[in-house]
Amino acid sequence: MTKSLRVALWAAVLSCMGANTALAANGVLSPNDYIGFTFFTGYMAMFAASVFFFFERGRVADKWKTSLLISGLITMIAAVHYFYMRGVWLDTGTSPTQFRYIDWTLTVPLMCVEYYLLLRPAGASSNMMWRLILGAVVMLVAGYYGEAVQPDKNVMWGIISTIGWAGIIYEIYAGEASKLASGSDNPAVKAAFTQLRWFTLVGWAIYPIGYMLLPGNLLSGMGIAPSNMDLIYNIGDAVNKIGFGLVVYGMAISDNK
Ligand SMILES: *C/C=C(C)/C=C/C=C(C)/C=C/C1=C(C)CCCC1(C)C
């Protein structure tokens, strides 16, 4: 991406975040309801990505077909949830927290499965996969508690959630997963692992930024409406679910070992 394109994208994102809340609620998408727009584009992008991964699955080597299938399932599960989330947003103008977390509870563990499938030829154990999934469960259950069950304690739940995420980061940067990847003799796998890790460290950091808009949290009261949490989550999902899948796809296409 060129620098000017990046600057333009950021300017667009920031100007959308100045837009105010509760634009929906009558079943109609208002012209300046940027959060609503991202629910629609998110839905279509996830849908299209699924079609892409499912069709392209036929073009990759047999050993990577399950990985492509999982990439498609991740975006397909998200597409269905985005369909419902856009409806909630349109009808009520409120955050579709339940659908959001049901989606994540299914898709984030599947991303852990992607790590396992990628490193299986290098000797990954299913214990490694379960450690990643455990980190994901802690991260998501705590996040849900902070958003929906005990919102007055969202700071505490946010910290617990971050510990779960840190467990995943540890596993892929210092734990068994990282050791297996560096020991792998397959350059395509090594390169893909490095890229997926970046998604998990940098791409996933988008979500806590949205969470910090909750009342009483670090970014609240800075002039950014809390409803922008959904804008941030929607951007995070598009980057992480489709991007993650594309890395796996690129690896499978380029691997000629
Ligand atoms: C496809 C969905 C993905 C990759 C969702 C990822 C979600 C997170 C990395 C959420 C992380 C959170 C924290 C680290 C602390 C605050 C609460 C959360 C749940 C937003």
Side-chain angles (χ1 to χ4, degrees):
M1 223 193 283
T2 64
K3 183 148 184 265
S4 50
L5 184 58
R6 270 201 308 268
V7 171
L9 273 175
W10 272 114
V13 168
L14 291 175
S15 61
C16 293
M17 291 177 62
N20 228 319
T21 88
L23 291 153
N26 50 5
V28 173
L29 188 59
S30 319
N32 55 342
D33 179 1
Y34 302 108
I35 303 169
F37 288 0
T38 61
F39 277 114
F40 277 79
T41 41
Y43 167 50
M44 260 354 275
M46 296 292 177
F47 184 94
S50 313
V51 173
F52 178 79
F53 293 134
F54 289 145
F55 273 88
E56 290 296 304
R57 181 178 169 277
R59 293 214 301 141
V60 306
D62 279 353
K63 63 175 173 174
W64 298 125
K65 286 203 190 315
T66 315
S67 299
L68 265 280
L69 177 66
I70 303 283
S71 294
L73 288 178
I74 290 171
T75 50
M76 192 191 80
I77 291 169
V80 174
H81 286 86
Y82 267 80
F83 177 80
Y84 285 101
M85 291 200 287
R86 342 142 358 275
V88 172
W89 178 260
L90 266 197
D91 293 343
T92 68
T94 61
S95 190
T97 311
Q98 283 72 13
F99 289 125
R100 176 81 72 190
Y101 275 87
I102 296 169
D103 169 335
W104 289 355
T105 316
L106 298 167
T107 51
V108 176
L110 284 175
M111 294 169 118
C112 302
V113 174
E114 289 278 37
Y115 272 116
Y116 168 67
L117 291 175
L118 181 71
L119 295 178
R120 199 170 47 175
S125 68
S126 59
N127 280 342
M128 180 210 87
M129 180 184 80
W130 287 112
R131 279 197 301 275
L132 292 172
I133 292 178
L134 178 71
V137 170
V138 171
M139 177 178 93
L140 296 174
V141 170
Y144 184 74
Y145 262 74
E147 279 191 47
V149 184
Q150 294 187 321
D152 51 319
K153 296 202 173 72
N154 69 62
V155 174
M156 180 195 82
W157 287 116
I159 293 169
I160 297 175
S161 173
T162 305
I163 295 172
W165 180 35
I168 298 177
I169 301 290
Y170 176 82
E171 181 66 36
I172 56 181
Y173 277 90
E176 185 190 324
S178 93
K179 291 185 189 110
L180 288 169
S182 30
S184 164
D185 57 358
N186 186 334
V189 166
K190 278 186 138 122
F193 180 78
T194 306
Q195 287 173 338
L196 292 185
R197 227 164 42 170
W198 266 102
F199 274 99
T200 306
L201 182 68
V202 182
W204 290 19
I206 296 172
Y207 299 96
I209 296 175
Y211 184 92
M212 283 183 233
L213 293 176
L214 285 174
N217 214 306
L218 290 180
L219 296 176
S220 69
M222 291 181 67
I224 304 171
S227 58
N228 283 295
M229 169 193 259
D230 279 297
L231 178 69
I232 296 176
Y233 285 173
N234 290 354
I235 293 170
D237 278 353
V239 169
N240 290 300
K241 293 187 166 61
I242 301 174
F244 209 85
L246 285 174
V247 169
V248 171
Y249 167 71
M251 178 281 302
I253 286 286
S254 70
D255 179 22
N256 43 25
K257 267 189 78 87

